[in-house]
Amino acid sequence: MITDRFDPGPTGTFKSLCRNYPDDTVFSGADGFRALWGPIFYRGRANGRARLLVIGQDPAQTEAVTRRILSGQAGRRVQGFVEKLGFTRSYLMVNAFLYGIYNQDMALPHLNDPEIVAYRHQWLEAAFEPGRIEAVVTFGTPAFNAWTAFTATPAGQAVLPTVAFHKALHPTADKPGGPISRKDLLDNWNVALQSLHAGIQHPDLATPLALYGDDFAPEELPEIPSRDLPPGIPAWMRRTDFWASMSDSPGTERASISIEVP
Amino acid sequence: MITDRFDPGPTGTFKSLCRNYPDDTVFSGADGFRALWGPIFYRGRANGRARLLVIGQDPAQTEAVTRRILSGQAGRRVQGFVEKLGFTRSYLMVNAFLYGIYNQDMALPHLNDPEIVAYRHQWLEAAFEPGRIEAVVTFGTPAFNAWTAFTATPAGQAVLPTVAFHKALHPTADKPGGPISRKDLLDNWNVALQSLHAGIQHPDLATPLALYGDDFAPEELPEIPSRDLPPGIPAWMRRTDFWASMSDSPGTERASISIEVP
């Protein structure tokens, strides 16, 4: 028997936001968005129980299958990060962009387009409405800019003094051959962990902070909890990476997806 | 804006059955099952509101992406069928087998293996428990045999006098070059419609029964309602067929899936 918990889904305002959302006239292909995969809304507790708010960038092909953000390679790295902060379940992850991006140069300038920012702020307001969020972490520049835009609003101004905040590098900022090494990324995350850990009052598990070394250790890439995913998602989708790839014409708006069972 | 309803998910006993279910030691690859895609549990109202119970056979690759049964080609045919009976929402669809099959000769003899039948009967008992089901239709022989096994139990015996029942051909029984033509299939379904229609007291929409002609008319292949699928599933997944195919080594246990955005 399998006895996995699953995500029972969004409630209240979160549920409404999963029913009423901008379409591909807002996140258009001409602007670099891959709206054809549909929106991917969140991962974690879209029910008012979250104490940690994670802001990421945009969903990739893995998430178009699991229908939860941050569940692929970047997601497992982020999962290890939030677990180091003592959060095994009381987090909510949202992205700066509701739909995937196929061309960052084209898409990123639309971060604060009126309809994009209005919808995103509804998520952020809903996240803070229960008054439980203690810490906020953004991964990557667009996520940080999204947070900055929110903190310029009355709702954002109101919560700003109540939360610990840190801006971290994007979970896969260590591109091969790029300017940011794996160690650079983890050094950056270590600073973020130390900053945030001090501000967290109610972790799910109070644990001493263990920093990263020069590379991700296996236990620092935990599986995505089944409780974060829809019912019946097979374990290999939570425990392995790179099982979904873009096929045919990667990088274009219409990219198809190839799922390879490991 | 998109304002699509979505399936808020299973409740009560149905929720428990999506959390506790047989694994690949029960639905094993050696017995012809493709457990690697994970279980696909149902489509429709897993919340006690169903008045029509549909029993199908096993999920295919399309359903492994949408995570709801009967949402591909067979599903759209079945959707047309249930809508002819006046049901736009008050149905529950379950399969005889929780996981996909890659070899029917190997898998079908396991229809009533103790652990398979025990789990399936929990679903059927939960479907009838609220006392609202008025009609039952099975599609294909394994589904009919599953119903027969249930009606041999005390719980099945108790509901048998209370429901209209008809055994219909599998939704894609009209294989090219096979013994059953499209017209044979639709003639069979017309008999089923007439039989069931008379027994239905509370359709969602009371409509005169319109039978099939020699082929499916476009309106007889309606889209899968968004309210039957998880939040954010793009419309093309509900409105088109054949966007998911098996790649690499179709027909084997480990079949991978290729999603082609239309």
Side-chain angles (χ1 to χ4, degrees):
Chain A
M1 290 290 285
I2 291 172
T3 57
D4 288 339
R5 286 179 175 273
F6 64 86
D7 177 13
T11 63
T13 302
F14 302 106
K15 185 175 180 178
S16 172
L17 289 169
C18 292
R19 189 181 285 178
N20 305 282
Y21 51 87
D23 59 19
D24 60 3
T25 64
V26 176
F27 292 92
S28 80
D31 289 341
F33 294 103
R34 195 179 273 123
L36 286 159
W37 289 346
I40 325 283
F41 298 102
Y42 72 95
R43 178 160 74 84
R45 309 286 78 71
N47 62 1
R49 306 292 297 171
R51 294 195 181 275
L52 173 69
L53 176 66
V54 172
I55 307 179
Q57 182 170 317
D58 72 290
Q61 67 274 15
T62 303
E63 287 87 5
V65 179
T66 62
R67 309 309 298 186
R68 293 294 185 279
I69 70 163
L70 286 169
S71 56
Q73 182 196 26
R76 293 182 64 206
R77 291 180 174 189
V78 166
Q79 189 63 28
F81 184 97
V82 304
E83 292 186 10
K84 281 181 180 287
L85 292 175
F87 288 109
T88 57
R89 58 180 182 279
S90 300
Y91 47 78
L92 173 64
M93 305 180 187
V94 296
N95 275 336
F97 294 103
L98 181 60
Y99 293 86
I101 288 172
Y102 74 92
N103 184 314
Q104 296 211 19
D105 290 342
M106 290 161 67
L108 295 186
H110 296 278
L111 180 74
N112 290 325
D113 280 5
E115 290 170 289
I116 290 177
V117 77
Y119 180 76
R120 188 174 62 231
H121 284 179
Q122 289 183 66
W123 271 92
L124 298 176
E125 288 175 27
F128 285 104
E129 201 278 327
R132 295 171 62 95
I133 299 287
E134 301 179 349
V136 178
V137 57
T138 60
F139 288 101
T141 301
F144 173 67
N145 291 342
W147 174 247
T148 301
F150 180 65
T151 58
T153 69
Q157 286 284 311
V159 300
L160 199 51
T162 71
V163 296
F165 167 76
H166 204 85
K167 169 190 179 178
L169 283 174
H170 188 284
T172 56
D174 56 331
K175 302 292 183 204
I180 299 170
S181 70
R182 178 71 46 84
K183 185 169 191 318
D184 293 335
L185 171 62
L186 295 178
D187 286 349
N188 175 279
W189 281 22
N190 279 337
V191 174
L193 285 172
Q194 289 168 300
S195 166
L196 292 165
H197 193 262
I200 291 165
Q201 307 297 313
H202 299 92
D204 298 320
L205 283 172
T207 46
L209 181 58
L211 298 179
Y212 292 101
D214 291 350
D215 198 354
F216 289 103
E219 68 272 18
E220 290 168 339
L221 298 171
E223 69 180 51
I224 306 300
S226 70
R227 73 163 76 227
D228 286 4
L229 295 175
I233 295 290
W236 55 266
M237 287 191 182
R238 302 188 276 110
R239 293 176 185 163
T240 61
D241 289 335
F242 308 117
W243 48 263
S245 56
M246 282 184 281
S247 53
D248 290 336
S249 40
T252 74
E253 178 191 356
R254 306 188 75 81
S256 296
I257 300 173
S258 176
I259 303 173
E260 188 168 352
V261 179
Chain B
M1 290 288 286
I2 291 172
T3 57
D4 288 339
R5 287 178 173 274
F6 63 86
D7 177 14
T11 62
T13 302
F14 302 106
K15 185 175 180 178
S16 171
L17 289 168
C18 292
R19 189 181 285 177
N20 305 282
Y21 52 88
D23 59 18
D24 61 2
T25 64
V26 175
F27 292 91
S28 80
D31 289 342
F33 294 103
R34 195 178 274 124
L36 285 159
W37 290 346
I40 324 283
F41 298 103
Y42 72 95
R43 178 159 74 83
R45 309 286 78 71
N47 63 0
R49 305 292 297 171
R51 294 195 181 274
L52 172 68
L53 176 66
V54 172
I55 306 180
Q57 182 170 318
D58 72 290
Q61 67 274 12
T62 304
E63 287 88 4
V65 179
T66 62
R67 308 310 297 186
R68 293 295 185 278
I69 70 164
L70 286 170
S71 56
Q73 183 196 25
R76 292 182 65 206
R77 292 181 173 189
V78 167
Q79 188 63 28
F81 183 97
V82 305
E83 292 186 9
K84 280 181 181 286
L85 292 175
F87 288 110
T88 56
R89 58 181 183 279
S90 300
Y91 46 79
L92 173 64
M93 305 180 186
V94 297
N95 275 335
F97 294 103
L98 181 61
Y99 294 86
I101 287 172
Y102 73 92
N103 183 315
Q104 297 211 19
D105 290 343
M106 291 161 67
L108 296 185
H110 296 278
L111 180 74
N112 289 325
D113 280 6
E115 290 169 289
I116 290 177
V117 77
Y119 179 76
R120 188 174 63 231
H121 284 180
Q122 289 183 68
W123 271 92
L124 297 177
E125 288 174 27
F128 285 104
E129 201 278 327
R132 294 171 62 93
I133 299 286
E134 301 178 349
V136 178
V137 56
T138 60
F139 288 101
T141 301
F144 173 67
N145 291 342
W147 174 248
T148 301
F150 180 65
T151 58
T153 68
Q157 285 284 312
V159 301
L160 198 50
T162 72
V163 296
F165 167 76
H166 204 84
K167 168 190 178 177
L169 283 174
H170 188 284
T172 56
D174 57 331
K175 302 292 182 202
I180 299 169
S181 70
R182 177 71 47 84
K183 184 168 190 321
D184 293 336
L185 171 62
L186 295 178
D187 285 348
N188 175 279
W189 281 21
N190 279 337
V191 175
L193 285 172
Q194 289 168 300
S195 165
L196 293 165
H197 193 262
I200 290 164
Q201 306 298 314
H202 300 91
D204 298 320
L205 283 172
T207 47
L209 180 57
L211 298 179
Y212 293 99
D214 291 350
D215 198 354
F216 290 102
E219 67 273 18
E220 291 168 340
L221 297 171
E223 68 180 51
I224 306 300
S226 70
R227 73 164 76 227
D228 287 4
L229 295 175
I233 295 289
W236 55 264
M237 287 192 182
R238 303 188 276 109
R239 292 175 186 165
T240 63
D241 289 335
F242 308 117
W243 48 264
S245 56
M246 282 184 282
S247 53
D248 290 336
S249 40
T252 74
E253 178 191 356
R254 307 189 75 81
S256 295
I257 299 173
S258 176
I259 303 173
E260 188 167 353
V261 178

